[in-house]
Amino acid sequence: MEFQLKAELKCSGSVSEGVSSSEIEEFMKHCNIELLKKGAPPGCGAEIVRWNVRGEKIGLEIVSDRFVRAHDALLRLKNEFGKFLGRHRIGIRSMEIEDYEIAMDWEEGLAIKKLPFVREIKQEEGRLKLFLAVNEFLLEKRIPDRIIRLLEDKREAASWKGKKEHWELLFESKKKPFYFDKDPTEEMIRLGWIRHAAGRGQWIYGPQLTKIFRAFEHIILDNLLEPLGYEEMIFPKFVPWDVWKRSGHAKGIYPEAYYVCTPKTRDPEFWEEVMDYYKVTNEVPLDMIMERIEPVGGMCYAQCPPFWIFLLGKTIPDEILPITVFDRSGTSHRYESGGLHGIERLDEFHRVEIVWIGKKEQVIEHAKQLQEGYRRIFDEFLEIEWREAWVTPWFMAQEGKAGLAELKEVGTIDYEAVLPYSGKWLEFQNVSVNGDKYPKGFSVKLQSGEELWSGCSGVGLERWAAVLLAQKSLDPDKWSAKLRSAVGELPEVFRFL
Amino acid sequence: MEFQLKAELKCSGSVSEGVSSSEIEEFMKHCNIELLKKGAPPGCGAEIVRWNVRGEKIGLEIVSDRFVRAHDALLRLKNEFGKFLGRHRIGIRSMEIEDYEIAMDWEEGLAIKKLPFVREIKQEEGRLKLFLAVNEFLLEKRIPDRIIRLLEDKREAASWKGKKEHWELLFESKKKPFYFDKDPTEEMIRLGWIRHAAGRGQWIYGPQLTKIFRAFEHIILDNLLEPLGYEEMIFPKFVPWDVWKRSGHAKGIYPEAYYVCTPKTRDPEFWEEVMDYYKVTNEVPLDMIMERIEPVGGMCYAQCPPFWIFLLGKTIPDEILPITVFDRSGTSHRYESGGLHGIERLDEFHRVEIVWIGKKEQVIEHAKQLQEGYRRIFDEFLEIEWREAWVTPWFMAQEGKAGLAELKEVGTIDYEAVLPYSGKWLEFQNVSVNGDKYPKGFSVKLQSGEELWSGCSGVGLERWAAVLLAQKSLDPDKWSAKLRSAVGELPEVFRFL
């Protein structure tokens, strides 16, 4: 990797008049030997290859390898040069970056067309050359380093292409009898249990399916969460950017997010034209609205990230660990791919989100207890056939990454069940150990200074229902006695002509 | 009100050559006597005051009063003229509206600066003159009539200005002892029961307050909803425009809505630039996002409107009435005015929404049963001091209207309680009879053909808590034995250094 940078410093007085050229030469030579090599292996680092002094202006040309990158060299140099000029009562007024080229080896097949803060990109014969458009402020924000890291990301992402997500079978349940071979969504529509709502991938759940959902919640509460000491909380459901920045979702969630915008002002006069247009046309004026709102975040996507603001910046006494809480206070929303299908794959869904926090061993041990609890529930209440697999951690997938976490204890177990009507496997919940990702992202510390870890598990009510009804039918007589008693009588409220 | 319209018809052949001018004169005269007066009181209606024929073009000038408005006259005339020309084997190809002026008396104090489809507005000496920019399509969509209706709305809204919403005391509870004189939100923050979330007017509820919320739900369920035969449903929480058009919210909700936008496409390449920018800067590029999303509706505002899609276009057999359902499956979001205050006035809140549907008498009778039930709960469980008032119906307020409904049975009862720490009254729930508004808006009919009515009642969990804790303190020992037993032990999960 080669870096070539041209910059010009403007000073408060004439350097040509105030400082002898031999002194400047001495200074530059010294920098080339000491300052711009510091921290680099022998023979490596940055070098000032040309300079010139014209009155108050000093031109600089720096080249470097990847060890002391030219922009780091420039910032070091500016600092040192300031001290040097200060001894001649001259200050540095400003610094302009005239040119900054970064060149590197690059795979021919991987085209790079556009990059932030890069005004031109040349790609030929296995080489990539970037011409940056940056200023001092952007150098200080380490934008060139981040552009390079972004290129590394793109190279890594390209290497995943065509490869599947990681998937490794951990467990298979016993075979179970199936009592249904139809699509349960179709059947529920036919019986009036559900109806498609006005939005994309969105349903209205009638009394029967709602009662089944609530029974699922009670089964989880009574048989898993209460015995394990969980308490209920209410997590926010609108998610501002700041939460997604800390959780990592801001890296890759964009194509799937439901965005939330708020009015630029609540002043009714600002909105009068919109209301007038609607009243006159009966059409909502989308363009007028877009001019009057600003994007502030999104609707709940992963459910646990906004909870972490409760702990933001806090230090926790070791003795209250493990912390075990859950939330079931609202909807999650994803702009799903084309594969929308009934209650199996939808844009708006309902989930019990389970979060546990503790020391590393506590979190790993707790994940095992949850796994055991789930297996018991699937065997005794749902009587379904399912399997468990070790997959790419959900938080990596949602940041746009493939593969596995660096630590082998960190990762996601997906629970999948076959849908007899299609023969396809449906992921219906997960259990994840997230390592120190969230405590770090939200600056939560442990009193003892030990590493704080966390885990989460999302129980998709629609997915549980899809699996149960697909394998066992909509007829409660075909369900386990335990489930039947948890659900109770299915209510009949509506009838239509 | 006076209307003056100039239009030009273009025909498929030369009218000057194909039709004698005396025949045209005869036709126009006949229209002035019959066609353009039909339906108007004697001496009123529209009149063709000038016309001219040049080859294939016919110029028309029509004036009218409010009885047969000039644009209606023009549409009638075009139709009749088409038949007349048809007899000469000439067709009408197109119609252009050259000028359309509408003049009326208007209050000087009420300035009208901008109107949709109006290119100029003159307002002087108690007169308002509009110069419309319309075409045939817009005339057929009755845009001029809607502009006039909009002006009437604005006149009505102006007459409310300065006046308060309707408020009429219906009931006052007995005096009750107060055990607290502080702001309960401040106290809960101090005790770590809640913490402000990352968003505006948004809180994270810890285990203690969540347990109180769930106890409220169970009290309502066991003491009100179950005895009255309610069943739970799950209403959608993203609300597309179509729902708000049918519910009336599209008329006036804009300054207070949380808007929802979805990606224009889910294609990752379309989003690559956004992700790259974020990865390089750690800032979410709001402008780039705004270019890539489109507004599709809003987050739940009034809770019951999206339910009505379940019944859209259906006919219901009389014998299943009354229908009684409720929803508690998610959050509501309002961009509240400056008066955000703790859990009393917030942007994100939680509510049990209760909906009943029946014949007029059933709906009115049921509202009374709910009122009795609530009074019993407030007396026996919460032991609070409250009052009830007859107010502007919520659906009128949310459409931007003041005053009362036309029918005296239709309307909203607000429940208010005093907050001892501030002496202010807080509305903490309502019971509303909505008349036939929703069945009409969502085309729901009754088999017998009788009018279908509905009502709804929203129980704000934050508001109930604000009232209870402000009057009775955060100490369960000061609460009624019934409430204490419904809540159970308050859990202690978190502790911070």
Side-chain angles (χ1 to χ4, degrees):
Chain A
M1 214 178 293
E2 294 99 45
F3 299 78
Q4 257 185 293
L5 192 161
K6 272 190 203 171
E8 187 176 76
L9 306 181
K10 272 188 199 158
C11 300
S12 61
S14 170
V15 179
S16 342
E17 286 170 25
V19 194
S20 76
S21 58
S22 63
E23 261 184 296
I24 293 180
E25 175 134 9
E26 194 55 42
F27 170 82
M28 296 291 179
K29 270 190 185 161
H30 179 75
C31 286
N32 271 341
I33 294 167
E34 292 271 328
L35 186 73
L36 305 190
K37 301 293 186 289
K38 208 183 291 169
C44 300
E47 181 150 355
I48 310 158
V49 290
R50 252 181 292 279
W51 71 89
N52 63 66
V53 179
R54 287 156 294 124
E56 298 167 355
K57 293 178 182 171
I58 298 156
L60 287 166
E61 213 175 313
I62 299 174
V63 299
S64 82
D65 51 32
R66 67 191 176 86
F67 292 105
V68 178
R69 295 170 177 181
H71 56 275
D72 283 328
L74 180 66
L75 294 175
R76 287 187 192 180
L77 184 64
K78 187 196 168 195
N79 189 26
E80 199 66 16
F81 203 44
K83 289 184 206 159
F84 167 80
L85 290 177
R87 292 195 288 273
H88 300 84
R89 301 183 170 265
I90 297 174
I92 298 175
R93 280 265 168 84
S94 66
M95 182 161 86
E96 202 182 307
I97 315 301
E98 294 173 334
D99 278 305
Y100 194 10
E101 285 180 38
I102 304 177
M104 66 191 82
D105 292 335
W106 194 258
E107 299 84 327
E108 301 214 8
L110 178 54
I112 302 292
K113 288 174 190 154
K114 207 172 177 183
L115 288 170
F117 306 109
V118 176
R119 59 175 163 77
E120 199 188 337
I121 298 174
K122 280 188 189 159
Q123 191 172 5
E124 43 190 17
E125 291 171 10
R127 298 281 290 169
L128 184 68
K129 217 173 197 178
L130 311 179
F131 300 85
L132 274 61
V134 287
N135 56 29
E136 186 181 359
F137 174 74
L138 294 171
L139 292 194
E140 272 168 2
K141 282 184 72 184
R142 321 211 69 75
I143 295 297
D145 301 316
R146 288 186 174 158
I147 292 171
I148 292 164
R149 201 184 318 140
L150 173 64
L151 283 169
E152 285 161 4
D153 275 8
K154 284 180 186 290
R155 177 179 273 156
E156 200 189 333
S159 74
W160 303 327
K161 255 193 187 157
K163 286 186 200 166
K164 281 186 184 165
E165 278 209 349
H166 186 86
W167 192 93
E168 187 189 331
L169 186 66
L170 293 180
F171 172 87
E172 269 183 308
S173 76
K174 288 192 200 125
K175 296 280 165 209
K176 304 281 166 62
F178 298 154
Y179 302 123
F180 202 52
D181 60 3
K182 298 202 190 84
D183 178 347
T185 297
E186 293 301 321
E187 190 69 2
M188 285 192 285
I189 295 169
R190 202 179 63 77
L191 295 175
W193 284 20
I194 59 174
R195 186 172 183 187
H196 203 287
R200 183 182 191 274
Q202 188 191 43
W203 295 83
I204 310 170
Y205 302 95
Q208 300 93 339
L209 188 56
T210 302
K211 204 160 182 192
I212 294 171
F213 281 6
R214 295 292 171 247
F216 290 160
E217 288 184 353
H218 281 121
I219 290 169
I220 297 167
L221 247 100
D222 297 346
N223 297 280
L224 191 69
L225 301 183
E226 275 192 19
L228 289 173
Y230 276 82
E231 294 291 347
E232 186 171 1
M233 283 184 64
I234 294 177
F235 302 170
K237 291 291 167 283
F238 154 64
V239 187
W241 301 125
D242 185 48
V243 169
W244 278 343
K245 284 181 179 182
R246 292 177 178 278
S247 71
H249 285 90
K251 287 182 196 151
I253 204 183
Y254 305 96
E256 270 201 345
Y258 264 75
Y259 294 86
V260 172
C261 299
T262 50
K264 285 182 185 168
T265 155
R266 219 177 150 279
D267 178 6
E269 271 187 34
F270 180 74
W271 287 96
E272 192 169 354
E273 198 181 344
V274 173
M275 298 187 215
D276 287 354
Y277 186 92
Y278 177 75
K279 286 177 189 166
V280 167
T281 62
N282 276 354
E283 293 299 329
V284 177
L286 303 184
D287 291 343
M288 285 187 203
I289 286 175
M290 283 304 266
E291 289 164 10
R292 285 170 175 77
I293 60 178
E294 53 198 353
V296 290
M299 295 176 90
C300 170
Y301 179 93
Q303 203 155 337
C304 68
F307 150 74
W308 283 91
I309 297 287
F310 196 78
L311 302 182
L312 181 70
K314 299 279 189 191
T315 301
I316 298 175
D318 296 50
E319 64 265 27
I320 69 165
L321 298 180
I323 293 167
T324 49
V325 293
F326 70 97
D327 168 76
R328 49 162 174 167
S329 69
T331 46
S332 297
H333 301 259
R334 295 186 185 182
Y335 195 73
E336 275 291 346
S337 58
L340 285 175
H341 185 90
I343 65 160
E344 288 159 25
R345 189 167 298 279
L346 19 66
D347 274 25
E348 177 170 330
F349 58 97
H350 302 79
R351 181 170 46 184
V352 180
E353 179 80 352
I354 295 161
V355 177
W356 62 104
I357 303 167
K359 297 181 187 178
K360 179 176 166 178
E361 315 71 49
Q362 284 176 319
V363 165
I364 293 169
E365 171 54 30
H366 193 89
K368 283 188 192 133
Q369 290 181 301
L370 283 172
Q371 288 171 55
E372 282 162 25
Y374 282 132
R375 285 187 191 172
R376 217 165 40 239
I377 290 171
F378 300 150
D379 263 332
E380 294 175 15
F381 285 85
L382 304 192
E383 291 185 339
I384 52 167
E385 191 174 316
W386 87 96
R387 68 187 183 193
E388 299 168 15
W390 187 246
V391 299
T392 298
W394 67 274
F395 58 84
M396 286 177 63
Q398 291 178 9
E399 287 176 15
K401 294 179 185 158
L404 286 178
E406 283 163 34
L407 300 168
K408 73 174 178 15
E409 300 97 342
V410 172
T412 292
I413 298 171
D414 270 356
Y415 290 70
E416 304 176 346
V418 75
L419 305 173
Y421 83 91
S422 66
K424 286 187 190 151
W425 290 83
L426 182 71
E427 183 219 319
F428 62 94
Q429 72 161 34
N430 68 61
V431 170
S432 294
V433 170
N434 304 327
D436 64 355
K437 180 179 172 60
Y438 285 97
K440 268 205 173 149
F442 291 84
S443 310
V444 195
K445 291 195 175 68
L446 204 51
Q447 186 175 18
S448 63
E450 274 187 73
E451 220 178 32
L452 195 60
W453 275 38
S454 77
C456 67
S457 170
V459 173
L461 299 179
E462 281 88 350
R463 294 284 176 96
W464 273 39
V467 167
L468 169 79
L469 301 175
Q471 293 193 4
K472 299 292 171 186
S473 92
L474 280 67
D475 177 4
D477 289 342
K478 301 276 167 51
W479 304 346
S480 76
K482 278 188 169 184
L483 176 63
R484 222 164 34 233
S485 119
V487 173
E489 190 99 4
L490 289 179
E492 291 294 339
V493 173
F494 296 95
R495 203 146 48 72
F496 304 115
L497 294 181
Chain B
M1 214 178 292
E2 295 99 44
F3 299 78
Q4 259 185 293
L5 192 160
K6 271 191 203 172
E8 188 176 76
L9 306 182
K10 272 188 197 157
C11 301
S12 60
S14 171
V15 180
S16 342
E17 286 169 23
V19 193
S20 76
S21 58
S22 62
E23 259 185 297
I24 294 180
E25 174 134 10
E26 193 56 39
F27 170 80
M28 298 290 178
K29 270 190 186 159
H30 178 75
C31 287
N32 272 341
I33 294 167
E34 291 271 328
L35 185 72
L36 306 189
K37 301 292 184 291
K38 208 183 289 169
C44 298
E47 182 150 356
I48 310 158
V49 289
R50 252 180 294 280
W51 71 89
N52 63 65
V53 178
R54 288 155 296 123
E56 297 168 356
K57 294 178 184 172
I58 298 154
L60 287 167
E61 212 176 315
I62 300 173
V63 299
S64 83
D65 50 33
R66 67 191 178 85
F67 292 105
V68 178
R69 294 170 178 183
H71 57 274
D72 283 328
L74 179 66
L75 294 174
R76 287 188 191 177
L77 184 64
K78 186 195 169 196
N79 188 26
E80 198 67 18
F81 203 42
K83 289 185 206 158
F84 167 79
L85 290 176
R87 291 195 288 272
H88 299 85
R89 302 186 166 260
I90 298 174
I92 298 175
R93 280 266 166 83
S94 67
M95 181 160 86
E96 201 182 309
I97 316 300
E98 295 172 334
D99 278 304
Y100 194 10
E101 286 180 36
I102 304 178
M104 65 191 81
D105 292 335
W106 194 258
E107 299 84 325
E108 302 214 5
L110 178 55
I112 302 292
K113 287 172 192 157
K114 206 172 175 183
L115 287 169
F117 307 109
V118 175
R119 60 175 162 77
E120 198 189 338
I121 298 174
K122 279 188 191 160
Q123 190 172 5
E124 43 190 18
E125 292 170 11
R127 297 282 288 170
L128 184 68
K129 218 172 194 178
L130 311 179
F131 300 85
L132 274 62
V134 287
N135 56 29
E136 185 180 0
F137 174 73
L138 294 172
L139 293 194
E140 272 168 2
K141 281 185 73 185
R142 323 212 68 76
I143 295 296
D145 300 316
R146 288 186 173 157
I147 293 171
I148 293 163
R149 201 185 319 141
L150 174 63
L151 284 168
E152 285 160 4
D153 274 6
K154 284 179 186 289
R155 178 180 272 155
E156 200 189 334
S159 74
W160 304 326
K161 255 194 188 156
K163 286 185 201 168
K164 283 188 183 162
E165 278 208 349
H166 185 86
W167 191 94
E168 187 188 331
L169 185 67
L170 293 180
F171 173 86
E172 268 183 308
S173 77
K174 289 193 197 120
K175 296 281 164 210
K176 304 278 165 64
F178 298 154
Y179 303 122
F180 202 53
D181 60 2
K182 299 202 191 81
D183 178 347
T185 296
E186 293 301 322
E187 190 68 3
M188 284 192 286
I189 294 169
R190 203 179 62 76
L191 295 175
W193 284 20
I194 58 174
R195 188 171 181 187
H196 203 286
R200 181 182 192 275
Q202 188 191 42
W203 295 84
I204 310 171
Y205 303 95
Q208 301 92 341
L209 189 55
T210 302
K211 206 160 181 192
I212 295 172
F213 281 6
R214 294 293 171 248
F216 290 159
E217 289 183 353
H218 281 121
I219 291 169
I220 297 166
L221 246 98
D222 297 345
N223 297 280
L224 191 68
L225 301 183
E226 277 193 17
L228 289 174
Y230 275 81
E231 294 291 347
E232 187 171 1
M233 283 184 64
I234 294 177
F235 302 171
K237 290 293 169 281
F238 155 64
V239 187
W241 301 125
D242 185 48
V243 168
W244 278 344
K245 284 181 178 181
R246 293 177 179 278
S247 71
H249 285 90
K251 286 181 197 154
I253 204 182
Y254 305 96
E256 271 201 345
Y258 264 74
Y259 294 87
V260 172
C261 299
T262 50
K264 285 182 184 167
T265 154
R266 218 176 151 281
D267 178 4
E269 272 188 35
F270 181 72
W271 287 96
E272 192 169 356
E273 198 181 346
V274 173
M275 298 187 214
D276 288 355
Y277 186 91
Y278 177 75
K279 286 176 189 165
V280 167
T281 61
N282 276 354
E283 293 299 328
V284 177
L286 303 184
D287 290 343
M288 285 187 201
I289 286 176
M290 283 303 267
E291 289 164 9
R292 285 170 174 76
I293 59 178
E294 54 197 352
V296 290
M299 295 175 89
C300 169
Y301 180 93
Q303 203 156 335
C304 68
F307 150 74
W308 283 91
I309 298 286
F310 197 78
L311 303 182
L312 180 70
K314 299 280 191 191
T315 301
I316 296 175
D318 295 50
E319 64 266 26
I320 70 165
L321 298 181
I323 292 167
T324 50
V325 293
F326 70 98
D327 168 76
R328 48 163 175 167
S329 69
T331 46
S332 297
H333 301 258
R334 295 184 185 183
Y335 194 73
E336 274 291 345
S337 58
L340 284 175
H341 185 87
I343 65 159
E344 287 159 24
R345 189 167 298 279
L346 19 67
D347 274 26
E348 177 170 331
F349 57 97
H350 302 79
R351 182 169 46 185
V352 181
E353 179 80 354
I354 296 160
V355 177
W356 62 103
I357 303 168
K359 298 182 186 178
K360 179 177 166 177
E361 317 71 49
Q362 283 176 318
V363 166
I364 293 169
E365 171 55 28
H366 193 88
K368 283 190 191 132
Q369 290 181 301
L370 283 171
Q371 287 171 57
E372 282 162 25
Y374 282 131
R375 284 186 191 174
R376 215 165 43 238
I377 289 171
F378 300 149
D379 264 333
E380 294 174 16
F381 284 84
L382 304 191
E383 291 185 341
I384 53 167
E385 192 173 316
W386 86 96
R387 68 187 184 193
E388 300 168 14
W390 187 245
V391 299
T392 299
W394 68 274
F395 58 83
M396 286 177 61
Q398 292 179 6
E399 287 177 14
K401 293 180 186 160
L404 287 177
E406 283 164 35
L407 300 168
K408 74 174 176 18
E409 299 97 341
V410 172
T412 292
I413 297 171
D414 269 357
Y415 290 71
E416 304 176 345
V418 74
L419 305 172
Y421 83 91
S422 67
K424 286 185 190 153
W425 289 83
L426 182 71
E427 184 219 319
F428 63 94
Q429 72 160 36
N430 68 61
V431 169
S432 294
V433 170
N434 304 327
D436 64 356
K437 180 180 172 58
Y438 285 96
K440 266 203 175 152
F442 291 84
S443 310
V444 194
K445 291 196 177 67
L446 204 52
Q447 185 176 19
S448 64
E450 274 187 74
E451 219 178 34
L452 195 61
W453 276 37
S454 77
C456 67
S457 170
V459 174
L461 299 179
E462 280 88 350
R463 295 284 176 96
W464 273 39
V467 167
L468 169 78
L469 301 175
Q471 293 193 4
K472 299 292 171 186
S473 92
L474 280 66
D475 176 4
D477 289 342
K478 301 277 168 52
W479 304 345
S480 75
K482 280 189 168 180
L483 176 62
R484 222 162 36 233
S485 118
V487 173
E489 191 98 3
L490 288 179
E492 291 295 337
V493 174
F494 296 95
R495 202 145 49 73
F496 305 114
L497 294 181

Coordinates of all heavy atoms in Angstrom, one line a residue, chain A residues 4 47 55 71 78 93 98 100 130 150 194 222 233 299 339 342 484 495:
Chain A
Q4 N 0.6 8.9 -1.1 CA 1.3 10.1 -1.6 C 0.4 11.3 -1.3 O -0.7 11.4 -1.7 CB 1.4 10.0 -3.1 CG 2.7 9.6 -3.6 CD 2.8 9.6 -5.1 OE1 2.1 8.8 -5.7 NE2 3.5 10.6 -5.7
E47 N 8.0 9.6 4.6 CA 9.1 10.5 4.3 C 8.7 11.7 3.6 O 7.8 11.7 2.7 CB 10.1 9.7 3.3 CG 11.3 10.5 3.0 CD 12.6 9.6 2.7 OE1 12.5 8.4 2.9 OE2 13.6 10.2 2.4
G55 N 7.4 32.6 1.0 CA 6.8 33.6 1.9 C 6.1 32.9 3.1 O 6.8 32.2 3.9
H71 N -1.0 10.5 6.0 CA -1.9 11.5 6.7 C -1.5 11.6 8.2 O -1.5 12.6 8.8 CB -3.4 11.2 6.5 CG -3.8 9.9 7.0 ND1 -3.7 8.8 6.1 CD2 -4.3 9.4 8.1 CE1 -4.2 7.7 6.7 NE2 -4.5 8.1 8.0
K78 N 2.9 18.5 11.3 CA 2.3 19.8 11.6 C 2.5 20.2 13.1 O 2.9 21.3 13.4 CB 0.8 19.8 11.3 CG 0.2 21.1 11.4 CD -1.3 21.1 11.5 CE -1.9 22.4 11.9 NZ -3.3 22.4 12.3
R93 N -1.3 28.9 10.5 CA -2.6 29.4 10.4 C -3.6 28.3 9.9 O -4.7 28.2 10.4 CB -2.7 30.6 9.5 CG -2.2 31.9 10.0 CD -3.5 32.7 10.6 NE -3.0 33.8 11.4 CZ -2.7 35.0 10.9 NH1 -2.6 35.2 9.6 NH2 -2.3 36.0 11.7
E98 N -3.8 19.3 -0.8 CA -4.0 19.5 -2.2 C -4.3 18.2 -2.9 O -5.2 18.2 -3.8 CB -2.8 20.2 -2.8 CG -2.6 21.6 -2.2 CD -1.3 22.3 -2.6 OE1 -0.3 21.5 -2.9 OE2 -1.3 23.5 -2.6
Y100 N -4.2 13.7 -2.4 CA -3.9 12.6 -1.5 C -4.3 11.3 -2.3 O -5.4 11.0 -2.6 CB -4.7 12.6 -0.2 CG -4.1 11.6 0.9 CD1 -2.9 11.0 0.7 CD2 -4.8 11.4 2.0 CE1 -2.4 10.1 1.6 CE2 -4.3 10.5 3.0 CZ -3.1 9.9 2.8 OH -2.6 9.0 3.7
L130 N -6.8 5.4 -5.3 CA -7.8 6.3 -4.9 C -7.3 7.8 -4.8 O -6.2 8.0 -4.3 CB -8.3 6.0 -3.5 CG -8.6 4.5 -3.2 CD1 -9.0 4.3 -1.7 CD2 -9.7 4.0 -4.1
L150 N -13.0 0.1 5.2 CA -14.1 -0.2 4.4 C -13.8 -1.1 3.2 O -14.5 -2.1 2.8 CB -14.8 1.1 3.9 CG -15.9 1.0 2.9 CD1 -17.1 0.3 3.5 CD2 -16.3 2.4 2.4
I194 N -57.8 -15.0 10.9 CA -56.9 -13.9 10.6 C -57.3 -13.2 9.3 O -58.1 -13.8 8.5 CB -55.4 -14.3 10.4 CG1 -55.3 -15.3 9.3 CG2 -54.8 -14.9 11.7 CD1 -53.8 -15.7 8.9
D222 N -44.5 -19.5 32.6 CA -44.6 -20.5 33.7 C -43.5 -21.5 33.8 O -43.1 -22.0 34.8 CB -46.0 -21.2 33.7 CG -47.1 -20.2 33.8 OD1 -46.8 -19.0 34.2 OD2 -48.3 -20.5 33.5
M233 N -39.9 -6.4 31.7 CA -39.7 -4.9 31.5 C -40.4 -4.5 30.2 O -40.9 -5.3 29.5 CB -38.2 -4.7 31.3 CG -37.4 -4.7 32.6 SD -35.7 -4.2 32.4 CE -35.8 -2.5 31.9
M299 N -38.4 1.6 13.2 CA -39.3 0.8 14.1 C -38.4 -0.4 14.6 O -37.5 -0.8 14.0 CB -40.5 0.4 13.4 CG -41.4 1.5 12.9 SD -42.8 1.0 11.9 CE -44.0 0.7 13.2
G339 N -39.8 -12.9 -0.4 CA -40.4 -14.2 0.1 C -41.5 -14.0 1.2 O -41.6 -15.0 2.0
G342 N -47.6 -15.5 4.2 CA -48.5 -15.8 5.4 C -47.9 -15.3 6.7 O -47.3 -14.2 6.7
R484 N -53.5 -27.9 25.1 CA -55.0 -27.6 25.0 C -55.5 -26.9 26.3 O -56.2 -26.0 26.2 CB -55.7 -29.0 24.9 CG -56.8 -28.9 23.9 CD -57.3 -30.3 23.4 NE -57.3 -31.3 24.4 CZ -56.6 -32.5 24.2 NH1 -56.0 -32.8 23.1 NH2 -56.7 -33.4 25.2
R495 N -68.7 -13.6 12.6 CA -69.2 -14.5 11.5 C -69.7 -13.5 10.5 O -70.2 -12.4 10.8 CB -70.4 -15.3 12.0 CG -70.8 -16.5 11.3 CD -71.3 -17.6 12.2 NE -72.3 -17.1 13.1 CZ -73.6 -16.8 12.7 NH1 -74.0 -17.0 11.5 NH2 -74.5 -16.4 13.6

